[in-house]
Amino acid sequence: MSPPLRILGIETSCDETAASVVLRDEEGAGRILGDVVLSQLEEHSAYGGVVPEIAARAHVEALDTLIEEALLRAGVTLEEIDAIAATSGPGLIGGLIVGLMTGKAIARATGKPLYAVNHLEGHALTARLTDGLSFPYLMLLVSGGHTQLILVKGVGDYERWGTTIDDALGEAFDKTAKLLGLPYPGGPAVERAARTGNPERFDFPRPLVGDARLDFSFSGLKTAVRQAAQSLEPVKEQDIADICASFQRAIARTLKDRVGRGLKRFKADYASVDQPALVVAGGVAANQTLRATLQALCDAHGFRFIAPPLELCTDNAAMIAWAGAERLAAGLPADGLDVPPRSRWPLDTRAQALIGSGKRGAKA
Ligand code: KG4
Ligand code: ZN
């Protein structure tokens, strides 16, 4: 039991500027009181990806107003906040500096504690905010910068079971879209095109399928897509649809194998957990084909499949506020005002960094 906590969260690690106020009640249940996200999609789309300098400037311009708006929607004043939680990594350093410095300034001015939150911890704990999930559980994070299978054992206690050894899954979608001439961000465009395509037409590779480790690899798939497109020049609309459908099928099969192995390992290691659960997070979790694959996989292995609402799967500040609330309630110490932003910050510090993984490194 801990008293009710109201936490202000700030998120600026990539191309979303976000602020939120979250309540954690005496029983440990969470409620979002006010939540605002400003996407910078328009600023970046002309460049086909996130431009760090543009992102940092846009965060500076928007953040103060967003924080005021989140407090207003929550009906809470800064004096009524119990702590401030700001993402301090991993991500684009310019954006992190903006959010963390703002968090520090508010903490200094109000005398409230500051929690410097790992963005990945925000994603990892979201299912406890939305579904009150108990530890331990498995999380698959599939975004533009990360593809990781993480064992969530407790607040601050994570084991990375698998990660990509090259491209993140969202990155594979974005690169595939780009080389097919589809708009940015690529994921939704590829999914749309795939609806009218034949998933059997191309037998794209499924790297690492059958491998005993739980890692992922997507760069070979992207190369195969390029070769298929080149062999069909000039590529017709139906070809694009068929390539997209076949690309998604290869990914679905890869996830089925990799994540399926993870579910088996969880069952073997945690046989006493009655209701094992897999949580999915990250922008790629929006993909209906991949969601259906993961749902079917969980059904087959007797797992609950938890996909938080999309606005909480993608980057937001409610998850950062919630991670701060969890840390505070667990009695973990607040951070000093000298805590630095970190562009790289693995959740599982014991896990070895894999060469080439998260090259883009910025997005989570
Ligand atoms: O989590 P997110 O919003 O941002 C970060 O990466 O931080 O994820 C964005 C990624 C992009 O690579 C985008 O193409 C991908 O998620 N994505 C999708 C879909 N919607 C977004 N990928 C596949 N299918 C989708 N429907
Ligand atoms: Zn993220």
Side-chain angles (χ1 to χ4, degrees):
M1 281 286 246
S2 95
L5 301 171
R6 283 174 192 80
I7 312 291
L8 169 67
I10 298 172
E11 161 61 39
T12 54
S13 68
C14 192
D15 57 346
E16 261 96 25
T17 317
S20 185
V21 179
V22 164
L23 169 76
R24 183 186 184 281
D25 71 17
E26 295 92 329
E27 268 87 48
R31 188 149 55 88
I32 298 172
L33 302 180
D35 192 36
V36 275
V37 181
L38 184 69
S39 168
Q40 302 173 1
L41 198 61
E42 274 180 25
E43 279 93 325
H44 301 287
S45 64
Y47 305 94
V50 178
V51 183
E53 290 76 11
I54 295 179
R57 186 175 291 264
H59 289 308
V60 172
E61 283 166 6
L63 188 56
D64 288 3
T65 318
L66 287 189
I67 291 173
E68 276 175 22
E69 180 68 24
L71 288 164
L72 201 69
R73 288 192 194 180
V76 170
T77 62
L78 266 185
E79 289 64 44
E80 290 165 330
I81 292 288
D82 295 289
I84 295 109
T87 303
S88 68
L92 294 171
I93 197 73
L96 292 170
I97 290 172
V98 174
L100 185 57
M101 285 305 292
T102 304
K104 285 180 183 180
I106 297 173
R108 182 82 175 87
T110 58
K112 313 277 176 176
L114 171 78
Y115 283 87
V117 171
N118 184 316
H119 178 90
L120 303 175
E121 179 167 55
H123 280 301
L125 298 177
T126 298
R128 290 170 52 77
L129 166 65
T130 56
D131 292 76
L133 198 59
S134 314
F135 299 121
Y137 55 88
L138 266 183
M139 184 196 46
L140 176 69
L141 174 61
V142 275
S143 69
H146 288 272
T147 302
Q148 300 195 353
L149 191 60
I150 292 170
L151 172 69
V152 184
K153 287 161 89 175
V155 179
D157 192 2
Y158 311 97
E159 247 177 62
R160 194 188 72 198
W161 278 10
T163 186
T164 179
I165 59 170
D166 40 56
D167 293 348
L169 185 50
E171 201 177 352
F173 270 94
D174 293 338
K175 287 179 176 172
T176 291
K178 202 169 185 173
L179 67 92
L180 294 174
L182 299 174
Y184 171 85
V190 170
E191 180 171 29
R192 220 174 303 119
R195 278 191 208 125
T196 50
N198 171 10
E200 311 286 335
R201 178 158 165 207
F202 300 95
D203 192 16
F204 288 137
R206 283 157 279 177
L208 295 184
V209 163
D211 192 281
R213 290 164 304 164
L214 294 173
D215 293 326
F216 303 85
S217 165
F218 297 107
S219 70
L221 180 56
K222 172 191 68 197
T223 309
V225 166
R226 180 182 302 117
Q227 284 162 351
Q230 280 166 352
S231 74
L232 295 169
E233 283 296 344
V235 187
K236 291 187 278 303
E237 207 173 315
Q238 190 57 50
D239 296 328
I240 292 178
D242 293 346
I243 290 175
C244 289
S246 304
F247 168 82
Q248 278 193 172
R249 189 184 68 147
I251 289 168
R253 293 200 170 171
T254 304
L255 289 184
K256 200 169 158 196
D257 175 81
R258 310 284 65 219
V259 179
R261 240 166 232 269
L263 301 187
K264 279 192 201 144
R265 175 168 165 194
F266 185 94
K267 274 216 164 154
D269 291 5
Y270 294 96
S272 60
V273 173
D274 304 335
Q275 269 213 313
L278 172 75
V279 176
V280 71
V284 184
N287 188 287
Q288 296 302 325
T289 306
L290 301 183
R291 268 187 189 233
T293 302
L294 292 170
Q295 178 72 62
L297 187 68
C298 283
D299 291 348
H301 285 82
F303 273 64
R304 278 174 74 193
F305 177 57
I306 298 178
L310 208 58
E311 65 275 16
L312 294 177
C313 277
T314 54
D315 290 349
N316 65 87
M319 70 177 188
I320 303 303
W322 177 251
E326 291 253 47
R327 294 189 85 83
L328 179 54
L332 295 175
D335 291 282
L337 293 186
D338 55 351
V339 62
R342 300 190 227 179
S343 57
R344 286 185 179 265
W345 184 7
L347 248 197
D348 177 355
T349 43
R350 290 154 299 193
Q352 206 189 331
L354 290 187
I355 298 161
S357 100
K359 274 173 300 197
R360 215 158 84 183
K363 298 190 80 190

